[in-house]
Amino acid sequence: MKCVSLKDQPFALKNDGSLQLFFVGTGSAFTKINYQTNLLIIKGEDHLLVDCGTKCPQAFTDLGSSITEVQNFLITHSHADHIGGLEEVALMNKYMTHKKPTMTINETYQYILWEMSLRGGSAYNEENAGDILTFFDFFNINRPKVLQDYQRETLEAQVGSINLKIFRTKHIPDNSRDWESSFWSCGLIIDERVMYTSDTRFDQGLVEYFDSRFNLEAIFHDCQLFTGGVHASIDELNSLPEPIKQKMRLVHYGDNYKDFIKTAEEYKFKGFADSHVYYTFE
């Protein structure tokens, strides 16, 4: 894996065909300095934005782009730092660019996302043939398929040349026993090479299972800097086997992360993931 700063490679939604991960932000939900953890996957002519939080449209503008240039979305769960920019995406595309981006989403989460979050601000702006608008008026659908031979619910989808294994995670509520008793949330295996957990509580079996299955090249794992609540903590993650920690970069961290750089080194993590860096897998 190579790390290339935005200073050395201009921001773009396409590349030479290598798999690249570019974090639009790496901060926690309430970050004030690192934007929120939203991930852009780029491969050749194809791209996918994983999550679109409240600050994400502004982040794209600050990068010299526009959120309306994104053609493919996948949302991992319904907290505002992951969906807060989606209403802007829907309305700007429908009424300004007059195009529909594609959402990779299963039927279960589509219902949750629309009925519990997006419908109130999007459905009632106009009528279509006498009916209020629906999810399909704003997004085309890329429907993943269910995979059968996995330890937990796992789906598969293809976004152009980008392969995704979409696995359920244990995020909320804070007392849920496992992914099955948790509200809907997911993480990703990208091209069977890279794991991105999105938000999850500490779940050792999750990481060890997918690492053993795919011999992962890199893991980008949710990490808060204290123990408790609905995110894996740096101290909990320290209990993972050292070979796993050595390929793990930490994301979704608090603004005080610089106070923990030495701790991450002592625990033998790969380090903290950085915003606006191309992580390139050739």
Side-chain angles (χ1 to χ4, degrees):
M1 180 181 68
K2 294 193 304 184
C3 304
V4 180
S5 169
L6 191 61
K7 298 176 183 178
D8 300 314
Q9 181 173 336
F11 181 74
L13 293 175
K14 58 184 178 180
N15 65 17
D16 62 1
S18 301
L19 174 64
Q20 289 184 318
L21 275 60
F22 180 92
F23 284 91
V24 179
T26 51
S28 63
F30 310 115
T31 182
K32 300 299 182 287
I33 61 175
N34 286 312
Y35 295 108
Q36 296 153 336
T37 297
N38 298 166
L39 171 64
L40 183 64
I41 304 170
I42 308 162
K43 187 180 180 185
E45 298 292 320
D46 304 310
H47 69 267
L48 172 71
L49 181 62
V50 181
D51 295 328
C52 184
T54 310
K55 300 176 183 290
C56 194
Q58 182 64 53
F60 268 81
T61 298
D62 292 346
L63 287 165
S65 182
S66 169
I67 194 65
T68 60
E69 302 205 9
V70 177
Q71 294 300 302
N72 296 288
F73 293 83
L74 184 149
I75 305 300
T76 65
H77 66 288
S78 292
H79 281 146
D81 55 320
H82 298 264
I83 66 166
L86 268 187
E87 183 177 308
E88 180 172 339
V89 169
L91 298 180
M92 286 187 68
N93 277 312
K94 182 165 182 60
Y95 297 112
M96 296 179 67
T97 67
H98 306 290
K99 63 184 181 183
K100 287 199 291 185
T102 297
M103 180 77 72
T104 297
I105 193 168
N106 68 349
E107 291 182 358
T108 299
Y109 187 55
Q110 178 187 317
Y111 177 85
I112 293 169
L113 181 61
W114 179 251
E115 294 294 334
M116 297 184 181
S117 297
L118 295 181
R119 183 179 180 187
S122 302
Y124 298 93
N125 295 294
E126 60 173 301
E127 292 186 346
N128 183 2
D131 293 323
I132 61 171
L133 301 179
T134 71
F135 192 86
F136 299 99
D137 289 298
F138 297 98
F139 296 99
N140 295 314
I141 303 299
N142 178 27
R143 196 72 83 194
K145 63 179 182 180
V146 177
L147 297 176
Q148 299 297 334
D149 60 336
Y150 283 74
Q151 288 185 354
R152 64 180 65 206
E153 181 181 319
T154 304
L155 313 172
E156 183 174 40
Q158 200 74 27
V159 177
S161 60
I162 304 168
N163 179 263
L164 304 168
K165 305 291 193 299
I166 306 164
F167 54 82
R168 286 285 303 279
T169 53
K170 181 178 71 172
H171 181 31
I172 56 173
D174 63 352
N175 62 351
S176 56
R177 300 179 307 279
D178 48 37
W179 67 266
E180 293 174 291
S181 58
S182 299
F183 193 61
W184 204 96
S185 60
C186 72
L188 303 173
I189 303 294
I190 305 161
D191 276 358
E192 300 187 353
R193 302 175 69 183
V194 181
M195 182 181 202
Y196 173 60
T197 65
S198 190
D199 291 11
T200 180
R201 288 159 55 208
F202 182 62
D203 190 347
Q204 183 164 348
L206 167 71
V207 180
E208 292 184 340
Y209 170 69
F210 280 107
D211 185 58
S212 65
R213 180 156 187 151
F214 293 112
N215 189 23
L216 297 166
E217 297 175 40
I219 300 168
F220 294 85
H221 201 294
D222 180 21
C223 178
Q224 67 183 12
L225 303 174
F226 58 93
T227 299
V230 296
H231 298 273
S233 74
I234 191 168
D235 288 329
E236 289 173 321
L237 292 171
N238 184 42
S239 68
L240 290 169
E242 188 172 314
I244 288 179
K245 292 191 292 182
Q246 288 177 343
K247 54 185 170 183
M248 180 177 286
R249 292 181 186 267
L250 309 175
V251 296
H252 203 279
Y253 45 77
D255 286 350
N256 61 332
Y257 77 101
K258 290 184 179 179
D259 296 336
F260 290 82
I261 291 176
K262 186 175 180 180
T263 301
E265 292 174 353
E266 292 174 349
Y267 286 175
K268 298 186 179 179
F269 292 109
K270 193 69 175 178
F272 289 95
D274 292 314
S275 300
H276 303 174
V277 168
Y278 290 97
Y279 294 97
T280 302
F281 301 84
E282 297 180 331

